[in-house]
Amino acid sequence: MTTEPAQPQHIAIIMDGNGRWAKKRFLPRTVGHVKGAAGVRRIVKACADRDIQYLTLFAFSTENWRRPPEEVSTLMDLFVQYLQKEMADMSKEGVRLRVIGDRSAFSADLQARIAAAEQATAHNTTLHLTVAANYGGQWDILQASRAWQKANPTLSIHDLREQDLAAYLSTADLPDPDLLIRTGGESRISNFLLWQMAYTEMYFVDDYWPDFDEASLTKALTWFASRVRRFGRTDDQVANAANAAS
Ligand code: FPP
């Protein structure tokens, strides 16, 4: 087990603050989301350049349907535009796209575009980009439990082990995030990857998402490199394991 993580293998990001970024400039919230979508492209590239292998972005939560209809519609449009415009370029850069969440609530057109982008990039390995859309951590745990029961109809709930459930989560083939970044000044995880972030290092930063750039990412990575990850062990155990490994 690695105790001195020079660099995270998997970064998860809660891209918060688009609305406040716009409000500060007397612009409609939707303009903030457009700027936020441009920030997505920038950060995907920055992660690929830094050899980060997994990036998971929280684009739309199960609770975001409660927003004004025009804002929900802008977010859906941005998602479509992103799939239309950016995916071909990103695919050339080796980005593999996956979308996690309950996509049945999306329009048939958006569902088809997501499936096409996933298929077109399935062979890419440079950066695994996962977009969480209509996603909620509680939803994920529930759907995994149901899927496990469906696959194992003869087993009882008492047979269910942690590793069994993990295999049915929507992130089953991804490593757990090493680093969570949340922009926008809030210090909470807002029903994101609840199960998967049991040992994730959490970095909360005041910058609004549209302002989070390559230099901000570098700062987050520097902070991460200073963390000692104990995974439940003591400082002494961690130090001994590091000495034994060197
Ligand atoms: C949170 O800011 C942001 C969102 C709910 C949406 C994030 C979406 C994008 C960055 C653009 C689309 C994404 C992709 C993958 C193309 P907020 O609106 O809650 O901001 P506030 O807290 O300042 O109101």
Side-chain angles (χ1 to χ4, degrees):
M1 186 186 295
T2 310
T3 52
E4 292 292 338
Q7 172 151 300
Q9 187 188 17
H10 183 175
I11 301 180
I13 306 185
I14 301 178
M15 308 177 289
D16 197 12
N18 293 345
R20 280 167 289 161
W21 181 93
K23 194 172 175 194
K24 214 172 108 183
R25 291 164 177 78
F26 306 101
L27 295 167
R29 291 176 57 81
T30 48
V31 175
H33 292 313
V34 173
K35 272 302 250 190
V40 168
R41 183 70 188 92
R42 198 171 55 211
I43 225 66
V44 167
K45 183 164 187 333
C47 284
D49 289 348
R50 287 163 175 76
D51 294 325
I52 306 287
Q53 290 148 291
Y54 298 89
L55 175 66
T56 300
L57 303 175
F58 206 7
F60 194 83
S61 76
T62 45
E63 290 75 29
N64 285 153
W65 294 108
R66 297 175 192 153
R67 294 190 172 203
E70 63 278 11
E71 183 168 341
V72 171
S73 161
T74 297
L75 286 168
M76 295 298 150
D77 289 349
L78 280 172
F79 201 7
V80 169
Q81 280 171 27
Y82 196 77
L83 294 170
Q84 243 172 357
K85 285 196 197 148
E86 310 284 2
M87 267 332 288
D89 275 357
M90 289 205 299
S91 185
K92 279 188 214 136
E93 290 162 18
V95 176
R96 175 178 182 175
L97 176 81
R98 265 179 281 214
V99 175
I100 56 169
D102 181 5
R103 56 178 87 175
S104 66
F106 296 146
S107 70
D109 174 59
L110 180 51
Q111 289 186 47
R113 286 175 195 275
I114 291 171
E118 285 180 332
Q119 213 176 356
T121 61
H123 56 282
N124 291 339
T125 53
T126 308
L127 175 72
H128 296 255
L129 170 64
T130 303
V131 174
N134 196 21
Y135 179 87
Q138 293 171 341
W139 165 85
D140 203 4
I141 294 168
L142 191 63
Q143 71 75 27
S145 314
R146 287 179 176 151
W148 177 83
Q149 180 70 88
K150 197 170 171 197
N152 300 282
T154 57
L155 296 185
S156 120
I157 193 73
H158 300 290
D159 299 314
L160 178 61
R161 298 163 305 166
E162 287 174 14
Q163 63 267 36
D164 299 325
L165 197 68
Y168 287 92
L169 292 169
S170 55
T171 51
D173 51 354
L174 308 178
D176 287 342
D178 302 295
L179 170 64
L180 168 76
I181 297 172
R182 181 176 185 144
T183 59
E186 310 290 357
S187 309
R188 53 179 175 255
I189 55 176
S190 300
N191 199 14
F192 195 19
L193 303 162
L194 298 181
W195 179 286
Q196 298 88 337
M197 295 208 293
Y199 282 100
T200 299
E201 300 293 326
M202 302 202 177
Y203 181 79
F204 299 103
V205 64
D206 287 338
D207 302 341
Y208 297 143
W209 172 248
D211 293 326
F212 191 86
D213 59 10
E214 290 83 350
S216 322
L217 178 65
T218 301
K219 261 194 217 165
L221 293 175
T222 303
W223 175 86
F224 179 82
S226 73
R227 308 299 304 159
V228 176
R229 305 187 74 193
R230 288 192 288 275
F231 296 97
R233 293 176 299 162
T234 65
D235 274 335
D236 286 348
Q237 286 175 307
V238 171
N240 291 341
N243 288 338
S246 62

